[in-house]
Amino acid sequence: MSPVLPRRAFVKTVVSSATVLGGVPHLLLAAADKPALLGGRPVRTAPFPGWPVFDEHDEAAVAGVLRSGRWGRGGGPQVARFEAEFGRLMGAQHCLATANGTSALFASLGGLGISPGDEVILPPYTFVATLNVILLQYALPIFVDTDPETFQMDARRLKAAITERTTAIIPVHLGGGACDLDTILAVAGERRIPVVEDACQAHLAEWRGRRVGTLGATGCFSFQASKNLNCGEGGAVLTNDSELAEKCYAFHNNCRGRGTAGYDFTYLGSRGANLRLTEFQGALLLAQMARLEAQSRVREQNAVRLTRLLREIPGILPAKSYEGCTRNAYHLFMFRYDARAFAGLPRGRFLDALRAEGIPCSPGYSPLNEEPFIRATLRTRAYQRLFPADLLEHWAERTACPANRRLCAEAVWFTQNMLLGTAEDMEHIAAAILKIREHAAELAKSA
Ligand SMILES: *Cc1c(COP(=O)(O)O)cnc(C)c1O
């Protein structure tokens, strides 16, 4: 194989790449090549593993429900069976399946009696559903800034965000990592404020050997199509509190308690909706769950490999884990991109170049606390009535999150399915980034 590059450039690439790629010749050569965005050959053309994954077992599970004619919860055994198995897998006493992760969070707040006029704490670096359930209860969202090293809520800032009005804290285990539960549970415990863990991205993640989602008052999961355990749309609430379990159940079942079936119209709880999971989804989740542990191990192995490769590249800063995070579910592989180490190549152009090399990637979330729709909501009649004017007036400065804003401008994500591939797939990612770095000045100029 003869390098098409001028010798000087090739040698420079080989030297700077050798430590990263362990001298794998074809990858070194790939990195020396011209960027695909500038007309060169892409590092790879093969797709990454697809998602979802299914086979005849999943087909049989769904078809079985169809043929049974028992499609709704309670009609058949599937949802109850899934609740028992997921609860056991996670190590929680109670599991309530819900229509999706949003309704798991909504039912948790409903079960806890979070009310109009309350304040609820959350991180700004999360999917919008974490926020929406707070607004649905006419509570005031209070954002706590992000720890850019881990992409998680900066728990050191939690205490200062609590007031007399605070009735719940919703920390998020973002990307499948764990937020600092030691600090969060200690601060919340001191003030007897319930913690609703948003574990919608963190199936099988652990904090000090225990599954996340089992340490707060409730833990909420999503089985939406992109999540590590998937049935299209689905969710679950975990709790070890029997009374709270019944309240969440009633909230998700139009105020009807567990024993209430068919035409028994007695009501429990104060408010409710229909947030139930169907038997189709219950059966599909049972089939999908059989793969969860093995898939999680593959993701972990590949994420460890990828971290090892990428942290050697100047300007690429993979998200770190807290010491207490004993297992990461890697729903996302996240890192910060420092353009200064890439000749000032803007992140958007870096992402375009990476995609051109055959590596799908995303810039991730934008600052949620700065969303204009929140301010519009706080100006509505309901919020104006519920909260003192000066409280609403100072809300924006109180919930400003400068570290999160910087993080949102620097973040890059890969999705969980990319981690289901081979060690070579991870090397391709590293090679593509190295190649872009090698040609960063050229890429920046041609933008
Ligand atoms: C996916 C997700 C949700 C909502 O789950 P849905 O099933 O889509 O309703 C909530 N929080 C986080 C962090 C999520 O990633």
Side-chain angles (χ1 to χ4, degrees), residues 99-103 105 126-130 172-174 198-201 221-227 232-235 331 365:
N100 48 59
T102 307
S103 48
L105 290 163
T126 184
F127 181 61
V128 66
T130 320
V172 180
H173 302 295
L174 194 89
D198 182 338
C200 286
Q201 300 184 0
F221 290 82
S222 167
F223 311 122
Q224 180 269 342
S226 70
K227 302 296 159 76
E233 297 282 0
H331 176 62
Y365 299 129

Side-chain angles (χ1 to χ4, degrees), residues 409-446:
E410 293 178 346
V412 177
W413 292 0
F414 301 132
T415 50
Q416 53 87 9
N417 60 299
M418 292 168 71
L419 300 173
L420 290 175
T422 60
E424 198 186 24
D425 289 340
M426 301 305 108
E427 288 162 1
H428 282 152
I429 296 173
I433 295 177
L434 270 174
K435 187 184 186 184
I436 294 165
R437 186 161 186 276
E438 213 51 57
H439 301 269
E442 235 177 301
L443 281 161
K445 237 183 300 157
S446 66

Side-chain angles (χ1 to χ4, degrees), residues 14-248:
V14 168
V15 170
S16 64
S17 314
T19 50
V20 178
L21 297 175
V24 185
H26 70 284
L27 291 176
L28 293 178
L29 204 54
D33 222 340
K34 193 168 158 183
L37 199 58
L38 301 180
R41 224 160 21 105
V43 165
R44 65 183 270 142
T45 48
F48 282 88
W51 188 259
V53 176
F54 62 91
D55 60 20
E56 64 275 13
H57 294 104
D58 307 77
E59 284 175 30
V62 176
V65 174
L66 182 75
R67 292 192 195 103
S68 76
R70 299 185 298 176
W71 299 350
R73 172 176 190 137
Q78 305 293 343
V79 173
R81 200 175 284 161
F82 169 71
E83 288 175 338
E85 290 207 12
F86 191 66
R88 189 160 44 229
L89 177 68
M90 303 306 282
Q93 282 170 35
H94 306 279
C95 173
L96 170 67
T98 57
N100 48 59
T102 307
S103 48
L105 290 163
F106 191 41
S108 292
L109 297 190
L112 286 164
I114 305 310
S115 304
D118 291 352
E119 288 179 7
V120 175
I121 292 173
L122 78 162
Y125 204 77
T126 184
F127 181 61
V128 66
T130 320
L131 165 69
N132 283 339
V133 294
I134 297 171
L135 298 176
L136 279 172
Q137 303 286 11
Y138 289 98
L140 188 65
I142 300 297
F143 292 95
V144 168
D145 208 353
T146 308
D147 175 355
E149 294 285 322
T150 59
F151 290 56
Q152 310 291 342
M153 176 197 272
D154 189 342
R156 291 163 299 191
R157 298 172 185 272
L158 175 59
K159 198 179 255 182
I162 293 173
T163 71
E164 294 287 291
R165 287 178 181 265
T166 311
T167 53
I169 301 166
I170 315 184
V172 180
H173 302 295
L174 194 89
C179 57
D180 176 4
L181 279 175
D182 285 357
T183 306
I184 293 165
L185 292 172
V187 170
E190 256 171 44
R191 290 167 174 75
R192 300 181 164 279
I193 299 169
V195 171
V196 172
E197 292 176 74
D198 182 338
C200 286
Q201 300 184 0
H203 319 72
L204 297 188
E206 290 176 5
W207 184 261
R208 301 199 188 283
R210 291 165 68 192
R211 307 275 198 219
V212 305
T214 63
L215 292 116
T218 72
C220 299
F221 290 82
S222 167
F223 311 122
Q224 180 269 342
S226 70
K227 302 296 159 76
N228 295 19
L229 179 61
N230 159 29
C231 65
E233 297 282 0
V237 179
L238 301 183
T239 183
N240 293 318
D241 177 336
S242 305
E243 204 178 309
L244 182 56
E246 292 315 301
K247 286 181 178 164
C248 293

Side-chain angles (χ1 to χ4, degrees), residues 138 140 374-390 392-393:
Y138 289 98
L140 188 65
I374 307 178
R375 304 217 190 179
T377 302
L378 302 195
R379 281 194 298 269
T380 58
R381 194 174 67 242
Y383 274 84
Q384 297 287 327
R385 274 187 193 152
L386 286 164
F387 295 92
D390 65 323
L392 294 178
E393 209 172 291

